[in-house]
Amino acid sequence: MAALALVLSGCGAEFQRGYLPEPVTEIGPKVINFWNWTWIAALAIGVLVWGLILWCVVAYRRKKDEKGLPVQLRYNVPLEILYTIVPVLMVAVLFGKTVELQHEMVDTTQEADVTVNAIGKKWSWDFNYVEADAHIIGTQASDLNKGEEGLPETLPTLVLPVDSRIEFVLTSRDVIHSFWVPQFLTKLDMVPGRVNVFQAVTTEEGTFQGKCAELCGAYHSEMLFQVQVVSQEEYDAFIEDLKASGGDGLVGNEYNLYGLHEGQPAKLPPALLEDYNASQEEEN
């Protein structure tokens, strides 16, 4: 019955994607494929080790008429070569594939359709739509623990167009945060004084939950936001409404809790670079 349950579970979509969230970006299937093959390799090693253990248990068990210790074997050269060379090769392949996928996940050489400067702060988010010259100011989700209806709609909501390449420019106002939308299958830290960047190509419309994935203080669990992926027409209408309702312009570094570290960030949006340079001049 256990074997049958295991076989039948392979028919489910959750099992096929390794119980990761359903991906809604272009890179997602590649992440799932890498994740699944990593588990297959680990399972293969496990089967080999389990097999050797069981073989030793059976082959070298004490017989009823035996006394004392069995014959002691000092070396088994083929076996030693096996458990030395194979793990080294597996680690090398795993490392190479990890680096290859990681480079693809943070590659920003292609031109983005939309650039979003996501700013982490204790304990919420600000979002700058760089090309559209518009912004969203988020507030802490302090009442979500009450469980009342309608409260999730008060979260800062990042609206993005579908089938578009989005560049996320990540900065922080205070401490280390981490930008994570589980269904993007990509997560990247936000470090004060440093600019981290990645791109994601949206593939499906819908509403997805985002959160901070780095323990950042007492109310880390309330640092939540939503992502809505919509059609291009709906996105354009949203930007117009946002600018008309007070979201015109970009929010800068004036709300940063600490001064930025030395060193000019290469990927800071040009519209915010002047604020950064000005803050550096004041510190000097």
Side-chain angles (χ1 to χ4, degrees):
M1 291 296 293
L4 181 61
L6 181 62
V7 171
L8 291 177
S9 67
C11 300
E14 294 84 359
F15 181 84
Q16 293 178 15
R17 61 173 183 264
Y19 295 100
L20 290 179
E22 184 177 356
V24 295
T25 59
E26 193 176 77
I27 195 70
K30 297 181 181 180
V31 175
I32 289 175
N33 184 63
F34 175 76
W35 169 260
N36 286 341
W37 278 106
T38 300
W39 275 105
I40 291 172
L43 181 60
I45 290 296
V47 170
L48 174 62
V49 173
W50 298 330
L52 289 173
I53 291 174
L54 292 175
W55 177 70
C56 290
V57 168
V58 174
Y60 298 108
R61 71 188 188 281
R62 181 189 293 273
K63 308 297 190 298
K64 290 183 178 180
D65 56 347
E66 290 181 343
K67 297 181 179 180
L69 296 174
V71 177
Q72 302 297 296
L73 301 177
R74 181 168 297 181
Y75 302 108
N76 189 316
V77 176
L79 190 59
E80 292 180 5
I81 293 176
L82 175 68
Y83 67 61
T84 301
I85 299 300
V86 171
V88 169
L89 292 176
M90 289 189 65
V91 170
V93 172
L94 180 62
F95 177 80
K97 291 298 182 181
T98 299
V99 172
E100 180 182 323
L101 179 60
Q102 180 176 298
H103 283 177
E104 186 172 354
M105 293 175 72
V106 297
D107 178 33
T108 58
T109 56
Q110 298 188 55
E111 184 177 356
D113 300 308
V114 175
T115 303
V116 174
N117 173 213
I119 309 170
K121 61 183 183 181
K122 296 190 293 186
W123 284 273
S124 191
W125 309 82
D126 295 338
F127 298 115
N128 280 320
Y129 290 92
V130 177
E131 292 89 354
D133 195 36
H135 71 271
I136 296 172
I137 299 292
T139 57
Q140 182 181 335
S142 57
D143 291 330
L144 279 183
N145 54 8
K146 296 180 181 179
E148 297 177 2
E149 292 186 6
L151 286 177
E153 284 70 23
T154 65
L155 294 174
T157 300
L158 180 63
V159 179
L160 303 172
V162 73
D163 298 324
S164 300
R165 180 173 294 276
I166 314 298
E167 179 161 303
F168 295 96
V169 181
L170 308 180
T171 57
S172 172
R173 297 203 184 282
D174 35 53
V175 298
I176 296 178
H177 301 287
S178 188
F179 182 88
W180 186 34
V181 182
Q183 288 182 268
F184 282 11
L185 296 183
T186 303
K187 175 168 64 70
L188 198 59
D189 278 359
M190 314 165 86
V191 183
R194 181 185 179 92
V195 179
N196 289 332
V197 186
F198 77 95
Q199 292 183 351
V201 178
T202 55
T203 57
E204 292 187 25
E205 296 185 21
T207 300
F208 314 106
Q209 306 304 313
K211 61 185 72 177
C212 175
E214 190 76 47
L215 184 59
C216 57
Y219 300 100
H220 159 72
S221 63
E222 297 176 355
M223 191 170 169
L224 308 172
F225 67 99
Q226 294 187 111
V227 176
Q228 286 185 359
V229 180
V230 299
S231 66
Q232 185 65 48
E233 293 75 16
E234 292 177 281
Y235 171 76
D236 293 337
F238 164 78
I239 292 296
E240 291 183 8
D241 292 341
L242 178 62
K243 299 178 76 170
S245 59
D248 196 13
L250 301 179
V251 59
N253 297 318
E254 62 270 20
Y255 300 113
N256 286 359
L257 183 59
Y258 309 115
L260 294 173
H261 299 168
E262 294 182 2
Q264 178 174 311
K267 291 295 291 187
L268 200 66
L272 300 179
L273 193 54
E274 293 183 4
D275 288 342
Y276 178 87
N277 291 333
S279 66
Q280 292 295 293
E281 292 177 1
E282 290 178 3
E283 289 182 5
N284 295 334

